[in-house]
Amino acid sequence: MRRFLLARLAQAGLVALVVGTLSFALMRALPGDAAMRIAAGRYGPDAMTGQAADKVRLELGLDRPWPAQFLDWLETLARLDLGHSLVTGAPVIEELKVQLGASLWLAAAALLISLAIGPVAGVLAGLRPTGWADRLGLAASVSLRAVPPFVLGLVLILVFAIWLGWLPPAGFGTARDLVLPALTLALGLAAVSSRVTRDAVAAVARAPHFAFARHKGLPEAVVVRRHGLRNAAIPVVSYLGLQAIYLVEGVVVVESLFAYPGIGHALVHAIVERDIPMVQGTALAMGLIFVAVTACVDAASAWLDPRLRSAR
Amino acid sequence: MNVATDMRDLSIAGLSVSGGAGPIVRDVTLSVRPGQPLTLLGESGSGKSLVAQAVMGSLPPGLTASGHIRLAGTDLLAAPAAVRRKGWGRTISLLPQEPWLALDPTMRIAGQVAEVHRFVHGRSAQESRLRAEENLAEVGLDRAGTLYPFQMSGGMCQRAAIAITHASDSALLIADEPTKGLDAALRDGVVERLKQEIAAGRLVFTITHDVAVAGALGGMIGVMLDGRLVDYGPAEEVLSAPTHPYTKALLAADPATWQRRVPTQAGAPVVTGRALAKAYGGRSLFEGLDIEVSAGEIVAVVGPSGCGKTTLGNILLGLAPAGSGTVERQGGVPPVRFQKLYQDPPAAFAPHQTIRRALADLVGLHGLSWGKAEALIARLRLGEHLLDRRPGEISGGELQRFALARGLLLDPVFLFADEATSRLDPVSQKEVVELLLEIVRDTGLAVLLVTHDGALADKIADRAVLLDRPAAWVSRRACDALTTGLAPCF
Amino acid sequence: MSTGLDVLTASRPRAVTARGAGAALIAALAAFTILGPLVIEVDPAAQDLSASLAPVGGDYLLGADHYGRSLLARLAHGARLSFGMAFLTMLTAAVPGILLGLVAAWRGGLAERAFELLANIVLALPGLMLVLLLLAFAPGHFGPLYLGLALTLWVEFYRVTRATTTSLLKEPHVEAAKLLGFGPAYILRCHVLPVIAPLIATLAAFAMATAIIAISTLSAISVGLQPPTPELGSMIVELLPYYAEAPLHVLAPAVLIVLLVLGLQLVARGEGR
């Protein structure tokens, strides 16, 4: 258990290092004077003068050799000082707080909807492999996975928002605004989790220990409850770790598509506007959330599977 | 009295099992009585497992049984599936094969025993727990209740499965290949437990491919071949005076019945290991071990699984480093003349290559003639038509003979046979061993025979090295070592 | 009691047909992407404002977009761009991935540890995030997009090659080949490659599907390739405001993306999930 946590902590460190390094390189790679850009971000383009830029240059040590600046950059990052947005001038951390909340709502809703669809369809398919539920599930899963999330989102907007007019095409604030983006993500997640569940259920149904539980004379309900559920849940839960990747990537795409004011949308905006502190802040936050989700999945897997608990 | 005894019997009359392509098992008639167990012998595919599944009522979908199976006076085949399932764990219980796979990997052992009391016999949680503890104590697992299956050895899993059948307390116990995957020491332990069940008055019906298990259990023996019962009678009669040719071949293939090989005049030492030691995972496998294999000699290394037999062979071949000590090989002999035969023949060939390709590449690499390969193939009684198959498409016995031919192409002076016959059926094992002995006699090949089968080592080896768990080893004439008090290491 | 009927064999014919359908789909799309731009001698950038949003089946076979550019020509060029870039990205990821995987499995030691660290660094972030961060250096450019995708995709080739080869090299048949005197080249050619080749082929198809999705997605959220490049993702977004007048025009590039990805996934999967 401790080994898992240490590995995830190391991963979090790597995330910070990768994001920090790329952001620093980005700062150096952009044409023009970095001090001017920062001064403009801080004091507004109108108040930005040569003097202000010099002041910033001195304060941040932008005249020193780059390795020293790089260490400085990382040290600032380690103190969780994310700086100010070059566009709005507001502290990055304040912007993140708002955006992160919106994104977490979206991700949570997507995950819940996907869990209501995927594993249920998977169990139905897995109980009768090659039966009609299995065939239908496979066809739906294969087709859904061939549709990129942004296309799926567009189709949902066209159908539900524009042709049927049931739901708003974009916006934020009410639960109704959440439905379409969350559904877009959830369908993509469920397309995979339904098949993982199906395979897990079919594998347990074939397993010698499942047959032995019946041969012991246990009633069917007891066989499923005591020897089926936990064993089938192990691969499904550990697969959630991989689904976290899809979720994080999907949040970026879906938020941009639905103009949903979350952290993914902010990241794409920051990239287009070359707002490096915001790029760094949003990427770091998303990376760390990704690591946190994976750590939770590790913990859940270990709780389910005693073999993982004892592996040291 | 007679009637009462009959009421407790299992009697099978005219049983056939049919699938879509016609009958797979035909007209089998057998019976089991208290104190008179029944053992069905046969290879995989002979239909013996289907007979057991027909009795249990767990035939795979698509297969149907006809005939009569009477247990305690009721005809099981006449009852609907749901009713038959109600009998599981109450009137019939099953000792599964490879119990380490049949136990739930995510549940502690005590729970897996207690649930039989709780959900089959409807006892309270408290009482179920206490009774499960008793069941575990009966098989010597009184402190293992909190373990998970993956924390237990194969033998412990086997005993846990027996504890579960005790919890069922059923009249009939079906043991399906109870010794599969167990080494000799554990095999004898399982036979002992089954004998206790018989003594306790249970009906015991065992399926096995192991003649020794059938002989040790006594009672009645049935021999299955291609879905038919070809021999059936009291154990002593079937084993001492078999009537069917297949039974005769099966019994003749048991190393215990073989003639002991006459030791040959050994030549010069081919491989010598001195003061060898090896530890694995902090545990010492052996220390200060001396071993010498000379031309024309067969030296056996015998011991239970995990004792370091294979490691010792690999050290002598130079495939693994020794912890300490020295290995000396005959001077002037190129390394390719030291060869190895593997336990699992399909794993010893590249899976995507035909046998012809594999042999032709070898012939090409060493500049040999294809005629030599052909001569060896004929000598090992292998058909030319097998050459164009892939390893997965040839039986284990034939493939092992190809492996032998492959090694012999390079005129080896030393052959390490690593459990080379343990995965083969008894008749194939005998064929391969006979050919190997022929080659040793004709070419003066030195053989290191690693095996867990004491009887095999006893019959064909000149000398034996016994590796026991606590890093002890003994080397002496095979027949002495294997018949004295060292038996516990098997 | 192991004498069970193999339930899985029932699904094997289905796997073959899926694979065949995928291959046929890919072949048809490949023909369109290779021959299309040659046969259709229309410049995908040539505007004809009088033909703005021309309907399907008129002067323009698949209609024209809001600038009056031939949709058929744009689709053919767009598909070629997606397919070609995905193929290039896959090759750039596969070659070093496979080579490093083989070296790690064969040599182990320091090389293996260094490659593992590299793989872990790349995997620390979801792939798309890394691509986005690289795109920040030059939004709308081909270079960082290609580099970022290859950088995230090589890891899978590396991991599968390394894991499979490591376990293969421990197999008795490889040990036997060494004892029989065969060298590393023979073992690689006859023992390792036949086993890993089908796995690599599967990964390659998946990698291309991933690349096609990523390229179109990033262009659609306007950090990937930019108009007027005929890129399928940006074509959809460009045409989206005209969905009411010309719904088929919006749908066409989307259908093309889905078919490309579907074909690749069918070839890769064949069966299973």
Side-chain angles (χ1 to χ4, degrees), chain C residues 31-65:
Chain C
F32 177 60
T33 57
I34 294 164
L35 300 177
L38 299 175
V39 175
I40 311 157
E41 288 173 340
V42 180
D43 182 356
Q47 302 188 2
D48 172 9
L49 289 176
S50 66
S52 179
L53 295 177
V56 175
D59 291 345
Y60 294 88
L61 196 58
L62 284 181
D65 70 2

mmCIF file of all heavy atoms in Angstrom, chain C residues 31-65:
data_model
loop_
_atom_site.group_PDB
_atom_site.id
_atom_site.type_symbol
_atom_site.label_atom_id
_atom_site.label_comp_id
_atom_site.label_asym_id
_atom_site.label_seq_id
_atom_site.Cartn_x
_atom_site.Cartn_y
_atom_site.Cartn_z
ATOM 1 N N ALA C 31 -7.552 4.387 -50.859
ATOM 2 C CA ALA C 31 -7.674 4.680 -52.288
ATOM 3 C C ALA C 31 -8.195 6.096 -52.480
ATOM 4 O O ALA C 31 -7.681 6.860 -53.305
ATOM 5 C CB ALA C 31 -8.609 3.665 -52.940
ATOM 6 N N PHE C 32 -9.191 6.489 -51.674
ATOM 7 C CA PHE C 32 -9.752 7.839 -51.761
ATOM 8 C C PHE C 32 -8.701 8.888 -51.440
ATOM 9 O O PHE C 32 -8.582 9.906 -52.128
ATOM 10 C CB PHE C 32 -10.946 7.943 -50.809
ATOM 11 C CG PHE C 32 -11.572 9.300 -50.761
ATOM 12 C CD1 PHE C 32 -12.105 9.879 -51.908
ATOM 13 C CD2 PHE C 32 -11.642 10.002 -49.562
ATOM 14 C CE1 PHE C 32 -12.689 11.132 -51.872
ATOM 15 C CE2 PHE C 32 -12.221 11.257 -49.515
ATOM 16 C CZ PHE C 32 -12.747 11.822 -50.672
ATOM 17 N N THR C 33 -7.895 8.626 -50.409
ATOM 18 C CA THR C 33 -6.926 9.644 -50.000
ATOM 19 C C THR C 33 -5.764 9.733 -50.974
ATOM 20 O O THR C 33 -5.182 10.786 -51.151
ATOM 21 C CB THR C 33 -6.364 9.360 -48.596
ATOM 22 O OG1 THR C 33 -5.781 8.051 -48.603
ATOM 23 C CG2 THR C 33 -7.428 9.425 -47.548
ATOM 24 N N ILE C 34 -5.400 8.574 -51.595
ATOM 25 C CA ILE C 34 -4.244 8.607 -52.498
ATOM 26 C C ILE C 34 -4.683 9.041 -53.900
ATOM 27 O O ILE C 34 -4.081 9.927 -54.507
ATOM 28 C CB ILE C 34 -3.553 7.231 -52.545
ATOM 29 C CG1 ILE C 34 -2.955 6.927 -51.167
ATOM 30 C CG2 ILE C 34 -2.457 7.210 -53.603
ATOM 31 C CD1 ILE C 34 -2.584 5.487 -50.974
ATOM 32 N N LEU C 35 -5.749 8.409 -54.400
ATOM 33 C CA LEU C 35 -6.191 8.705 -55.765
ATOM 34 C C LEU C 35 -7.013 9.986 -55.826
ATOM 35 O O LEU C 35 -6.922 10.732 -56.785
ATOM 36 C CB LEU C 35 -7.007 7.535 -56.316
ATOM 37 C CG LEU C 35 -6.257 6.200 -56.390
ATOM 38 C CD1 LEU C 35 -7.162 5.087 -56.879
ATOM 39 C CD2 LEU C 35 -5.044 6.339 -57.309
ATOM 40 N N GLY C 36 -7.811 10.230 -54.767
ATOM 41 C CA GLY C 36 -8.710 11.373 -54.768
ATOM 42 C C GLY C 36 -8.054 12.667 -55.230
ATOM 43 O O GLY C 36 -8.450 13.241 -56.254
ATOM 44 N N PRO C 37 -7.015 13.131 -54.541
ATOM 45 C CA PRO C 37 -6.385 14.397 -54.925
ATOM 46 C C PRO C 37 -5.817 14.362 -56.337
ATOM 47 O O PRO C 37 -5.653 15.403 -56.960
ATOM 48 C CB PRO C 37 -5.266 14.544 -53.893
ATOM 49 C CG PRO C 37 -5.721 13.735 -52.733
ATOM 50 C CD PRO C 37 -6.469 12.583 -53.317
ATOM 51 N N LEU C 38 -5.485 13.160 -56.878
ATOM 52 C CA LEU C 38 -4.953 13.072 -58.235
ATOM 53 C C LEU C 38 -6.079 13.167 -59.256
ATOM 54 O O LEU C 38 -5.968 13.863 -60.260
ATOM 55 C CB LEU C 38 -4.195 11.752 -58.422
ATOM 56 C CG LEU C 38 -2.988 11.545 -57.501
ATOM 57 C CD1 LEU C 38 -2.380 10.159 -57.689
ATOM 58 C CD2 LEU C 38 -1.939 12.625 -57.781
ATOM 59 N N VAL C 39 -7.161 12.426 -58.991
ATOM 60 C CA VAL C 39 -8.267 12.372 -59.953
ATOM 61 C C VAL C 39 -9.051 13.679 -59.957
ATOM 62 O O VAL C 39 -9.378 14.236 -61.007
ATOM 63 C CB VAL C 39 -9.193 11.188 -59.618
ATOM 64 C CG1 VAL C 39 -10.413 11.188 -60.540
ATOM 65 C CG2 VAL C 39 -8.429 9.874 -59.739
ATOM 66 N N ILE C 40 -9.353 14.189 -58.742
ATOM 67 C CA ILE C 40 -10.125 15.425 -58.643
ATOM 68 C C ILE C 40 -9.171 16.585 -58.848
ATOM 69 O O ILE C 40 -8.436 16.970 -57.937
ATOM 70 C CB ILE C 40 -10.789 15.543 -57.266
ATOM 71 C CG1 ILE C 40 -11.510 14.239 -56.920
ATOM 72 C CG2 ILE C 40 -11.734 16.730 -57.212
ATOM 73 C CD1 ILE C 40 -11.694 14.048 -55.440
ATOM 74 N N GLU C 41 -9.149 17.113 -60.056
ATOM 75 C CA GLU C 41 -8.152 18.147 -60.343
ATOM 76 C C GLU C 41 -8.678 19.527 -59.958
ATOM 77 O O GLU C 41 -8.641 20.461 -60.751
ATOM 78 C CB GLU C 41 -7.768 18.107 -61.829
ATOM 79 C CG GLU C 41 -6.914 16.882 -62.129
ATOM 80 C CD GLU C 41 -6.661 16.729 -63.613
ATOM 81 O OE1 GLU C 41 -7.425 17.302 -64.405
ATOM 82 O OE2 GLU C 41 -5.700 16.038 -63.975
ATOM 83 N N VAL C 42 -9.180 19.615 -58.751
ATOM 84 C CA VAL C 42 -9.694 20.895 -58.287
ATOM 85 C C VAL C 42 -8.853 21.327 -57.098
ATOM 86 O O VAL C 42 -8.555 20.526 -56.212
ATOM 87 C CB VAL C 42 -11.175 20.767 -57.866
ATOM 88 C CG1 VAL C 42 -11.707 22.107 -57.388
ATOM 89 C CG2 VAL C 42 -12.010 20.235 -59.012
ATOM 90 N N ASP C 43 -8.458 22.601 -57.100
ATOM 91 C CA ASP C 43 -7.685 23.120 -55.982
ATOM 92 C C ASP C 43 -8.611 23.235 -54.765
ATOM 93 O O ASP C 43 -9.644 23.903 -54.832
ATOM 94 C CB ASP C 43 -7.141 24.496 -56.367
ATOM 95 C CG ASP C 43 -6.279 25.079 -55.255
ATOM 96 O OD1 ASP C 43 -6.186 24.429 -54.181
ATOM 97 O OD2 ASP C 43 -5.699 26.144 -55.472
ATOM 98 N N PRO C 44 -8.263 22.583 -53.649
ATOM 99 C CA PRO C 44 -9.155 22.638 -52.487
ATOM 100 C C PRO C 44 -9.253 24.038 -51.898
ATOM 101 O O PRO C 44 -10.113 24.294 -51.051
ATOM 102 C CB PRO C 44 -8.505 21.665 -51.508
ATOM 103 C CG PRO C 44 -7.075 21.591 -51.922
ATOM 104 C CD PRO C 44 -7.068 21.768 -53.410
ATOM 105 N N ALA C 45 -8.363 24.929 -52.331
ATOM 106 C CA ALA C 45 -8.411 26.280 -51.775
ATOM 107 C C ALA C 45 -9.057 27.275 -52.735
ATOM 108 O O ALA C 45 -9.241 28.438 -52.398
ATOM 109 C CB ALA C 45 -6.992 26.748 -51.427
ATOM 110 N N ALA C 46 -9.382 26.801 -53.954
ATOM 111 C CA ALA C 46 -9.963 27.715 -54.954
ATOM 112 C C ALA C 46 -11.374 28.124 -54.542
ATOM 113 O O ALA C 46 -12.231 27.275 -54.328
ATOM 114 C CB ALA C 46 -9.996 27.027 -56.321
ATOM 115 N N GLN C 47 -11.582 29.450 -54.401
ATOM 116 C CA GLN C 47 -12.885 29.919 -53.946
ATOM 117 C C GLN C 47 -13.749 30.319 -55.137
ATOM 118 O O GLN C 47 -13.264 30.779 -56.151
ATOM 119 C CB GLN C 47 -12.711 31.129 -53.018
ATOM 120 C CG GLN C 47 -11.853 30.812 -51.815
ATOM 121 C CD GLN C 47 -11.834 31.943 -50.811
ATOM 122 O OE1 GLN C 47 -12.495 32.961 -50.986
ATOM 123 N NE2 GLN C 47 -11.086 31.758 -49.742
ATOM 124 N N ASP C 48 -15.022 30.102 -54.993
ATOM 125 C CA ASP C 48 -15.987 30.521 -56.012
ATOM 126 C C ASP C 48 -17.216 30.952 -55.234
ATOM 127 O O ASP C 48 -18.098 30.161 -54.959
ATOM 128 C CB ASP C 48 -16.291 29.344 -56.951
ATOM 129 C CG ASP C 48 -17.425 29.673 -57.906
ATOM 130 O OD1 ASP C 48 -17.838 30.847 -57.945
ATOM 131 O OD2 ASP C 48 -17.886 28.754 -58.600
ATOM 132 N N LEU C 49 -17.212 32.256 -54.831
ATOM 133 C CA LEU C 49 -18.231 32.717 -53.889
ATOM 134 C C LEU C 49 -19.639 32.590 -54.444
ATOM 135 O O LEU C 49 -20.611 32.518 -53.696
ATOM 136 C CB LEU C 49 -17.947 34.155 -53.466
ATOM 137 C CG LEU C 49 -16.724 34.268 -52.542
ATOM 138 C CD1 LEU C 49 -16.422 35.714 -52.222
ATOM 139 C CD2 LEU C 49 -16.929 33.468 -51.263
ATOM 140 N N SER C 50 -19.749 32.508 -55.789
ATOM 141 C CA SER C 50 -21.092 32.349 -56.364
ATOM 142 C C SER C 50 -21.641 30.956 -56.068
ATOM 143 O O SER C 50 -22.838 30.723 -56.158
ATOM 144 C CB SER C 50 -21.043 32.564 -57.879
ATOM 145 O OG SER C 50 -20.283 31.515 -58.472
ATOM 146 N N ALA C 51 -20.719 30.010 -55.737
ATOM 147 C CA ALA C 51 -21.173 28.643 -55.463
ATOM 148 C C ALA C 51 -21.239 28.369 -53.964
ATOM 149 O O ALA C 51 -21.229 27.231 -53.542
ATOM 150 C CB ALA C 51 -20.247 27.640 -56.134
ATOM 151 N N SER C 52 -21.278 29.464 -53.156
ATOM 152 C CA SER C 52 -21.270 29.283 -51.705
ATOM 153 C C SER C 52 -22.369 28.325 -51.263
ATOM 154 O O SER C 52 -23.528 28.488 -51.623
ATOM 155 C CB SER C 52 -21.465 30.644 -51.028
ATOM 156 O OG SER C 52 -21.489 30.472 -49.640
ATOM 157 N N LEU C 53 -21.944 27.312 -50.496
ATOM 158 C CA LEU C 53 -22.866 26.306 -49.958
ATOM 159 C C LEU C 53 -23.693 25.619 -51.048
ATOM 160 O O LEU C 53 -24.856 25.292 -50.861
ATOM 161 C CB LEU C 53 -23.790 26.917 -48.909
ATOM 162 C CG LEU C 53 -23.100 27.413 -47.633
ATOM 163 C CD1 LEU C 53 -24.109 28.064 -46.712
ATOM 164 C CD2 LEU C 53 -22.358 26.299 -46.926
ATOM 165 N N ALA C 54 -23.041 25.383 -52.211
ATOM 166 C CA ALA C 54 -23.718 24.652 -53.289
ATOM 167 C C ALA C 54 -24.142 23.282 -52.766
ATOM 168 O O ALA C 54 -23.424 22.666 -51.989
ATOM 169 C CB ALA C 54 -22.771 24.487 -54.476
ATOM 170 N N PRO C 55 -25.312 22.831 -53.179
ATOM 171 C CA PRO C 55 -25.836 21.585 -52.612
ATOM 172 C C PRO C 55 -25.116 20.357 -53.159
ATOM 173 O O PRO C 55 -24.457 20.402 -54.198
ATOM 174 C CB PRO C 55 -27.297 21.588 -53.077
ATOM 175 C CG PRO C 55 -27.287 22.415 -54.306
ATOM 176 C CD PRO C 55 -26.242 23.450 -54.122
ATOM 177 N N VAL C 56 -25.310 19.262 -52.438
ATOM 178 C CA VAL C 56 -24.739 17.981 -52.842
ATOM 179 C C VAL C 56 -25.388 17.547 -54.146
ATOM 180 O O VAL C 56 -26.592 17.707 -54.339
ATOM 181 C CB VAL C 56 -25.001 16.925 -51.749
ATOM 182 C CG1 VAL C 56 -24.509 15.548 -52.207
ATOM 183 C CG2 VAL C 56 -24.327 17.337 -50.453
ATOM 184 N N GLY C 57 -24.564 17.048 -55.098
ATOM 185 C CA GLY C 57 -25.115 16.466 -56.319
ATOM 186 C C GLY C 57 -25.300 17.464 -57.450
ATOM 187 O O GLY C 57 -25.730 17.114 -58.524
ATOM 188 N N GLY C 58 -24.966 18.740 -57.241
ATOM 189 C CA GLY C 58 -25.079 19.727 -58.302
ATOM 190 C C GLY C 58 -23.791 19.778 -59.109
ATOM 191 O O GLY C 58 -23.199 18.743 -59.438
ATOM 192 N N ASP C 59 -23.332 21.031 -59.393
ATOM 193 C CA ASP C 59 -22.077 21.183 -60.114
ATOM 194 C C ASP C 59 -20.929 20.568 -59.333
ATOM 195 O O ASP C 59 -19.986 20.032 -59.896
ATOM 196 C CB ASP C 59 -21.783 22.677 -60.331
ATOM 197 C CG ASP C 59 -22.772 23.262 -61.324
ATOM 198 O OD1 ASP C 59 -23.434 22.458 -62.005
ATOM 199 O OD2 ASP C 59 -22.870 24.507 -61.407
ATOM 200 N N TYR C 60 -21.035 20.719 -58.022
ATOM 201 C CA TYR C 60 -20.036 20.107 -57.170
ATOM 202 C C TYR C 60 -20.625 18.803 -56.647
ATOM 203 O O TYR C 60 -21.727 18.798 -56.077
ATOM 204 C CB TYR C 60 -19.673 21.023 -56.003
ATOM 205 C CG TYR C 60 -18.981 22.282 -56.440
ATOM 206 C CD1 TYR C 60 -19.717 23.411 -56.790
ATOM 207 C CD2 TYR C 60 -17.583 22.321 -56.513
ATOM 208 C CE1 TYR C 60 -19.080 24.568 -57.202
ATOM 209 C CE2 TYR C 60 -16.943 23.477 -56.926
ATOM 210 C CZ TYR C 60 -17.693 24.603 -57.264
ATOM 211 O OH TYR C 60 -17.063 25.734 -57.659
ATOM 212 N N LEU C 61 -19.873 17.708 -56.822
ATOM 213 C CA LEU C 61 -20.403 16.385 -56.505
ATOM 214 C C LEU C 61 -20.875 16.303 -55.055
ATOM 215 O O LEU C 61 -21.969 15.819 -54.762
ATOM 216 C CB LEU C 61 -19.320 15.331 -56.771
ATOM 217 C CG LEU C 61 -19.824 13.895 -56.851
ATOM 218 C CD1 LEU C 61 -20.875 13.759 -57.947
ATOM 219 C CD2 LEU C 61 -18.656 12.930 -57.087
ATOM 220 N N LEU C 62 -20.047 16.804 -54.141
ATOM 221 C CA LEU C 62 -20.436 16.789 -52.725
ATOM 222 C C LEU C 62 -20.756 18.202 -52.244
ATOM 223 O O LEU C 62 -20.707 18.490 -51.055
ATOM 224 C CB LEU C 62 -19.321 16.179 -51.871
ATOM 225 C CG LEU C 62 -19.209 14.649 -51.941
ATOM 226 C CD1 LEU C 62 -18.081 14.163 -51.036
ATOM 227 C CD2 LEU C 62 -20.514 13.996 -51.535
ATOM 228 N N GLY C 63 -21.024 19.096 -53.174
ATOM 229 C CA GLY C 63 -21.355 20.456 -52.792
ATOM 230 C C GLY C 63 -20.112 21.290 -52.562
ATOM 231 O O GLY C 63 -18.988 20.853 -52.770
ATOM 232 N N ALA C 64 -20.317 22.534 -52.138
ATOM 233 C CA ALA C 64 -19.203 23.437 -51.860
ATOM 234 C C ALA C 64 -19.430 24.085 -50.503
ATOM 235 O O ALA C 64 -20.553 24.162 -50.024
ATOM 236 C CB ALA C 64 -19.117 24.508 -52.954
ATOM 237 N N ASP C 65 -18.329 24.566 -49.891
ATOM 238 C CA ASP C 65 -18.484 25.177 -48.570
ATOM 239 C C ASP C 65 -18.851 26.656 -48.692
ATOM 240 O O ASP C 65 -19.155 27.156 -49.785
ATOM 241 C CB ASP C 65 -17.227 24.946 -47.719
ATOM 242 C CG ASP C 65 -16.031 25.751 -48.216
ATOM 243 O OD1 ASP C 65 -16.198 26.507 -49.193
ATOM 244 O OD2 ASP C 65 -14.961 25.592 -47.628
#
